[in-house]
Amino acid sequence: MYHKSLKNKEKIFAVAPMMDWTDRHCRFFHRQLTRRALLYTEMVVADAVIHGEREKLLGFDAVEHPVALQIGGSEPAKLARAAAIGADFGYDEINLNVGCPSDRVQSGTFGACLMKTPDLVGACVAAMKERVKVPVTVKSRIGVDDQDPEEALDRLAEAVFAAGADALWVHARKAWLAGLSPRENREIPPLDYGRVYRLKEKYPNKFIGINGGIQSLDEVEAHLLRLDGAMMGRAAYHTPALLADVDQRLFGEKRRRADPAAVVEAMAAYAQRHIAAGGRLSHITRHMVGLFHGQPGARRFRQILSTRATRPGAGADVLRDALAAVGLPEREAVA
């Protein structure tokens, strides 16, 4: 069974894994806004998990649960070893990246390239499942280059589900491995939500989640009428306040909406700990500049964080000053 929520026949809402964005500081921030969203790490290459500085690459705060580790790679044995390391670190899920189209990923013959070798993806999933007890999932595209999305996605789904994958998350676009940059691959190939819906019709008893171009919780709710999960990426990152409505709106929780002043105070306390351990304030505040997007004072909040937080010796007082510029009272940190 994929995640505890499915035992109650609940859907899953997730914040997508995003390179250079969804680091541990971003995830801690997002968790102040929603307790129910599933959070993902950036993609970490299996070799880095095995041979790199594990605490730096994999460390996270307990408050981030439920949190999933996304791994990149194409060698079953290495992926199995990396998955075991991730599970030992306490991650709630291990996700295999079969969708990233960056040049660096292509040179390593993994990411979206793996759409061309579904049997290999199945072997990777099987090896990971053999090593860990937590869910093993896959995140893919609907196809790459000149592939027929009907055939390509069906073949991938057949291979990963036969191998025991607990879920398949589908970014509802093709990836063009030649001719488009990673950014263009997020915007130019047309979205095809219908293709993901058809996959769910073929696998009614398997978890199928959707990703790509989702801008609002209205859209999330529409997708969840037909699918098991919906994943929001850049919209959640750039306008994080929308995450504050997730728990009530999608999961029916009666807990009041996260107060933005309390969120800032929680992040100030977190920043103090990070700085005391040798970190920089900007590591945290770079993820927070959009917190008051569309509200009075948002521009000043963004300006203060973008300028003062990058200065040597910047402390948590910068966050409190930015909050004061918005005109909201400071509150006690959220629980």
Side-chain angles (χ1 to χ4, degrees):
M1 189 68 71
Y2 178 50
H3 288 295
K4 293 180 180 178
S5 63
L6 288 192
K7 293 181 180 179
N8 299 319
K9 297 184 178 179
E10 292 180 346
K11 306 287 185 169
I12 290 179
F13 170 82
V15 178
M18 291 175 280
M19 290 295 292
D20 300 321
W21 286 5
T22 51
D23 62 17
R24 63 187 302 174
H25 308 306
C26 176
R27 299 191 305 269
F28 188 95
F29 170 48
H30 285 171
R31 185 57 73 215
Q32 306 312 305
L33 296 160
T34 167
R35 293 194 295 187
R36 296 296 295 271
L38 171 62
L39 304 180
Y40 279 82
T41 69
E42 306 168 83
M43 183 189 70
V44 186
V45 177
D47 276 329
V49 174
I50 296 168
H51 303 294
E53 298 179 59
R54 291 180 186 171
E55 181 57 37
K56 181 178 179 181
L57 289 169
L58 302 180
F60 65 95
D61 193 291
V63 78
E64 294 174 40
H65 289 294
V67 58
L69 171 65
Q70 187 181 69
I71 298 177
S74 59
E75 298 179 54
K78 285 185 177 180
L79 284 167
R81 185 177 174 189
I85 293 168
D88 287 344
F89 257 78
Y91 282 96
D92 299 293
E93 170 191 329
I94 308 297
N95 178 266
L96 177 62
N97 185 312
V98 188
C100 182
S102 75
D103 292 339
R104 180 165 64 91
V105 167
Q106 291 185 53
S107 67
T109 320
F110 55 94
C113 295
L114 290 174
M115 292 292 302
K116 299 179 179 180
T117 55
D119 291 341
L120 175 58
V121 178
C124 292
V125 169
M128 296 162 75
K129 287 288 294 181
E130 190 172 339
R131 288 290 299 274
V132 302
K133 294 181 179 179
V134 298
V136 173
T137 68
V138 174
K139 187 169 185 290
S140 75
R141 293 286 184 124
I142 61 173
V144 296
D145 298 336
D146 293 320
Q147 283 185 325
D148 176 357
E150 298 298 325
E151 179 182 351
L153 188 57
D154 274 356
R155 288 186 61 207
L156 181 75
E158 180 180 4
V160 301
F161 286 135
D166 295 279
L168 176 59
W169 289 93
V170 184
H171 184 147
R173 304 180 196 267
K174 268 191 174 185
W176 288 92
L177 303 179
L180 292 182
S181 69
R183 179 177 179 178
E184 289 171 331
N185 262 300
R186 293 191 297 267
E187 299 171 353
I188 292 177
L191 287 161
D192 188 354
Y193 295 143
R195 178 63 191 96
V196 187
Y197 296 159
R198 291 192 295 278
L199 185 70
K200 178 59 183 175
E201 291 170 358
K202 184 170 183 177
Y203 292 96
N205 298 317
K206 300 293 187 182
F207 183 102
I208 306 290
I210 197 166
N211 172 226
I214 301 174
Q215 300 295 315
S216 70
L217 294 186
D218 286 344
E219 294 176 44
V220 168
E221 287 183 321
H223 287 305
L224 291 180
L225 292 174
R226 305 184 67 169
L227 298 163
D228 305 297
M231 181 180 281
M232 183 179 284
R234 278 155 182 77
Y237 188 88
H238 291 304
T239 56
L242 65 80
L243 295 175
D245 291 321
V246 163
D247 295 355
Q248 280 189 336
R249 185 164 173 182
L250 301 182
F251 298 98
E253 289 202 354
K254 295 181 179 180
R255 178 177 181 259
R256 67 179 177 82
R257 190 179 193 272
D259 179 78
V263 169
V264 173
E265 184 55 38
M267 295 309 297
Y270 176 78
Q272 288 176 324
R273 298 194 297 272
H274 178 62
I275 293 167
R280 294 175 60 89
L281 179 65
S282 58
H283 296 161
I284 296 165
T285 55
R286 74 187 186 97
H287 303 299
M288 298 179 61
V289 294
L291 178 60
F292 293 98
H293 178 81
Q295 300 180 42
R299 185 175 178 219
R300 185 61 182 147
F301 181 84
R302 184 173 63 250
Q303 286 176 333
I304 291 173
L305 294 191
S306 298
T307 56
R308 289 179 51 189
T310 59
R311 296 173 185 171
D317 59 304
V318 173
L319 271 166
R320 297 187 175 101
D321 289 347
L323 176 64
V326 179
L328 295 175
E330 292 185 37
R331 304 283 180 85
E332 294 182 0
V334 293

